[in-house]
Amino acid sequence: MSTKDSSPTSETRTSGDRPDPGNHSRYDDEISLVDLWNVLSRRKWWIAAVTIAVLLLGTLYGFLKTPSYSFQTTIQLGQDDRGNPVEDPNVTVTFLNNVLIPGIWRDLLADSPETRPPEASARYVDGTEYVHLTTSAPMDRKEAVEQLHTLTTRALRQNHVQHIDDIRAELADQRREQELQHAAQLEQLQGDLDSITEHKERATSRLELLTEERALLEEQIDGLHPLREQLDAALADTDQSAAPLWSMMPLTSIVDMRYSAERRLRTELPDHVQEVEQRLSELESSSERIASQMEREQSRHEIAMAALDRREQRVRETVARGSDYALASNTPEGPGRSLFVALSLILGLMLGVFGAFFREFLANVRATEAN
């Protein structure tokens, strides 16, 4: 009984590479690590052969593959008078990738249309004012790549020149308009100041005349005193025939003359003088106000011109930072040769193991069909 029970087990274990077909459901439900090891052990030469073959092919490819370098040019976009790009950077990148770069490659490779152009693309760095033009190509195509980058940069700069010229022309018009307004304002203020100066001169002359008139009136009043005394003495003389002719003047006339002169001196003349002085004070205030307005206008003009100068300084043309030529990377792009060897080894082992199990599967299928 024990012999019959143990015989299937020993038969199954001794058969090794050909499991019992009637017992295949057990292999479907469970994975025996021993059986897996046996498969790998039986197919070790197959695994080694596949691994070595893939390793050799990968190593050969890594050594024969032409290294590709990254060529890059950084383009600083032009900006307007407010510090914004003269053109939407996304529009610029689309124009470069879809129109300008393919067109330049087509012109450069016109003599050899079968040659495939290197991969070149432009991208915009968000939050900056830079567009990076990058080309991947072998070092032996460096000259063509440099031509591409140079022509692309110059064409983009030329495309933005019109925008920048329009901005500068607009700023120049604003400057001329500001100059004309400033000149007209100063001319008007200067005219008002000249008119006030003329009125001041007239008022000053009138004040001088009033001063002279005051002196004359004072002199006249002073001269009426001896005249009256002489008149009184003449009237007191009994011999009227011997009196001078002026003594015949009525006394009331002298009194009227003195009263008129004193009234003119004491009342009318001070009023006129006060009026003229008040007029001079008003004219002086107006003159100072206009002078202050002229100073403010000059300051406003200088501030406006300084603002225009700053806006003009912010206008910048599109330039390639560093050089118009493409700057090549120091190391090739992509995996190096040592990485190719390592990847080939790993891939070879994986393919070898997979192939070993697949061959074992085919052998089991054939064995099953044979039974």
Side-chain angles (χ1 to χ4, degrees):
M1 187 68 172
S2 61
T3 307
K4 290 181 181 181
D5 294 337
S6 61
S7 61
T9 303
S10 67
E11 183 179 356
T12 302
R13 290 182 179 176
T14 54
S15 61
D17 58 343
R18 292 200 177 116
D20 184 4
N23 219 10
H24 64 84
S25 62
R26 172 186 161 201
Y27 287 91
D28 294 338
D29 297 335
E30 299 179 4
I31 298 177
S32 175
L33 295 179
V34 176
D35 293 340
L36 293 178
W37 175 257
N38 290 333
V39 172
L40 294 176
S41 178
R42 285 195 304 273
R43 307 294 181 182
K44 59 181 180 293
W45 298 114
W46 166 263
I47 296 174
V50 172
T51 302
I52 293 174
V54 173
L55 177 62
L56 292 176
L57 290 176
T59 303
L60 182 63
Y61 176 78
F63 277 88
L64 294 180
K65 177 180 177 294
T66 303
S68 180
Y69 290 82
S70 176
F71 297 86
Q72 182 171 334
T73 297
T74 300
I75 303 173
Q76 187 175 19
L77 298 178
Q79 66 180 22
D80 59 15
D81 56 303
R82 304 191 183 279
N84 301 319
V86 295
E87 187 179 54
D88 186 354
N90 295 317
V91 174
T92 300
V93 170
T94 302
F95 171 70
L96 290 175
N97 290 331
N98 298 337
V99 179
L100 192 56
I101 294 176
I104 294 176
W105 268 138
R106 185 171 56 252
D107 295 340
L108 291 177
L109 302 179
D111 297 336
S112 54
E114 69 282 354
T115 303
R116 182 180 178 182
E119 180 181 355
S121 63
R123 65 181 180 88
Y124 169 63
V125 182
D126 293 335
T128 67
E129 52 192 14
Y130 297 99
V131 169
H132 294 299
L133 177 59
T134 305
T135 302
S136 297
M139 190 59 71
D140 57 357
R141 305 199 67 179
K142 178 180 180 181
E143 183 177 354
V145 173
E146 288 181 347
Q147 291 181 357
L148 169 69
H149 285 224
T150 300
L151 294 176
T152 301
T153 303
R154 293 177 181 176
L156 183 61
R157 184 187 298 122
Q158 185 64 31
N159 184 57
H160 288 172
V161 162
Q162 185 62 44
H163 299 288
I164 296 174
D165 289 344
D166 293 341
I167 293 171
R168 287 176 173 167
E170 181 180 357
L171 291 175
D173 293 340
Q174 293 181 11
R175 179 180 290 275
R176 285 192 294 270
E177 182 179 358
Q178 174 64 30
E179 291 283 359
L180 292 176
Q181 291 179 354
H182 175 65
Q185 186 69 16
L186 285 183
E187 183 178 359
Q188 180 181 356
L189 292 174
Q190 186 63 45
D192 295 342
L193 185 61
D194 293 341
S195 177
I196 291 175
T197 302
E198 183 178 354
H199 284 82
K200 285 173 62 178
E201 292 176 354
R202 292 178 181 176
T204 303
S205 299
R206 177 72 187 280
L207 185 61
E208 292 176 354
L209 291 176
L210 291 174
T211 303
E212 293 177 1
E213 184 180 357
R214 174 184 293 176
L216 292 175
L217 288 173
E218 290 176 349
E219 183 179 352
Q220 181 181 359
I221 292 173
D222 292 340
L224 288 174
H225 288 288
L227 179 63
R228 184 173 178 177
E229 292 176 356
Q230 294 177 11
L231 181 60
D232 292 338
L235 292 175
D237 192 356
T238 56
D239 188 3
Q240 298 292 331
S241 61
L245 182 61
W246 56 266
S247 64
M248 303 301 295
M249 182 182 300
L251 182 61
T252 56
S253 299
I254 297 176
V255 174
D256 291 340
M257 290 174 58
R258 177 169 180 167
Y259 174 76
S260 177
E262 288 181 349
R263 185 182 61 183
R264 177 69 177 170
L265 179 64
R266 307 302 179 191
T267 305
E268 296 179 2
L269 196 61
D271 292 341
H272 289 310
V273 171
Q274 183 179 2
E275 181 181 352
V276 173
E277 289 178 347
Q278 183 177 359
R279 179 61 176 166
L280 279 172
S281 178
E282 293 175 354
L283 291 174
E284 187 66 29
S285 299
S286 299
S287 177
E288 292 177 356
R289 185 179 67 256
I290 292 178
S292 177
Q293 290 180 356
M294 294 179 69
E295 292 179 359
R296 289 196 300 269
E297 172 61 23
Q298 183 65 29
S299 299
R300 187 196 65 80
H301 174 68
E302 292 176 356
I303 293 173
M305 298 304 292
L308 286 175
D309 290 338
R310 289 192 299 270
R311 291 174 61 182
E312 288 180 353
Q313 291 174 2
R314 280 196 295 264
V315 177
R316 186 187 60 230
E317 296 182 357
T318 299
V319 296
R321 284 301 174 191
S323 172
D324 285 350
Y325 299 108
L327 300 178
S329 58
N330 296 327
T331 58
E333 289 182 316
R337 294 176 178 176
S338 58
L339 184 58
F340 265 111
V341 173
L343 292 176
S344 300
L345 179 60
I346 296 173
L347 180 61
L349 286 173
M350 293 174 61
L351 291 177
V353 172
F354 177 77
F357 282 109
F358 186 71
R359 285 176 60 86
E360 187 69 16
F361 171 74
L362 293 179
N364 290 337
V365 170
R366 287 195 297 268
T368 302
E369 292 176 351
N371 294 332

